[in-house]
Amino acid sequence: MSVFSPGPVYELSSIVGALVVVLIILSSLLRGPLLRVVVTILGLVVVILHYTVIYLVVTSTGVQLTVLPLLITESTSKGSTLYPDIGQIIVLGILFIWWDEIAGAFKKHEQHSNGGGV
């Protein structure tokens, strides 16, 4: 029996890390519609797992996590650590790759609301 037995938090964190690496590699290899679909699906899986890890850390340890814009603060009685929030960064990346479609949808909605026209 091992002295150190990693729990589900560490296992999920490792999976999130590996998926982020896969996401970066696929983002550099794929183009066009396939890029959007694969990055969106894989990105959303990473975001869900990332925030699951945060939830498990907050509920099972004495660590206090604070989610800030693009950052997370991890605080214990011995000090604090600040690191990037990969979940928010991935969501921004997904919005970026879908930006043309999002802007087009808003433009169509605006035209429809104003009575049509070109």
Side-chain angles (χ1 to χ4, degrees):
M1 185 166 150
S2 172
V3 175
F4 178 70
S5 176
V9 171
Y10 300 105
E11 293 168 6
L12 278 177
S13 294
S14 298
I15 292 170
V16 169
L19 287 175
V20 168
V21 171
V22 169
L23 187 64
I24 291 169
I25 291 170
L26 288 175
S27 296
S28 66
L29 296 175
L30 300 175
R31 296 285 177 254
L34 185 59
L35 169 73
R36 290 181 184 154
V37 171
V38 170
V39 168
T40 300
I41 292 169
L42 188 56
L44 291 175
V45 169
V46 170
V47 168
I48 290 167
L49 290 175
H50 170 70
Y51 288 112
T52 301
V53 168
I54 289 175
Y55 173 77
L56 291 172
V57 167
V58 168
T59 58
S60 65
T61 66
V63 175
Q64 178 186 356
L65 294 177
T66 306
V67 178
L68 303 169
L70 301 179
L71 299 170
I72 294 179
T73 303
E74 182 178 300
S75 302
T76 65
S77 59
K78 296 182 180 185
S80 296
T81 304
L82 187 67
Y83 55 92
D85 184 353
I86 196 71
Q88 292 180 49
I89 293 169
I90 289 175
V91 168
L92 286 175
I94 291 170
L95 289 173
F96 179 76
I97 63 174
W98 288 97
W99 185 253
D100 290 339
E101 285 77 9
I102 294 169
F106 278 115
K107 192 176 281 190
K108 281 183 184 179
H109 177 71
E110 183 179 294
Q111 289 174 350
H112 181 66
S113 297
N114 293 333
V118 185

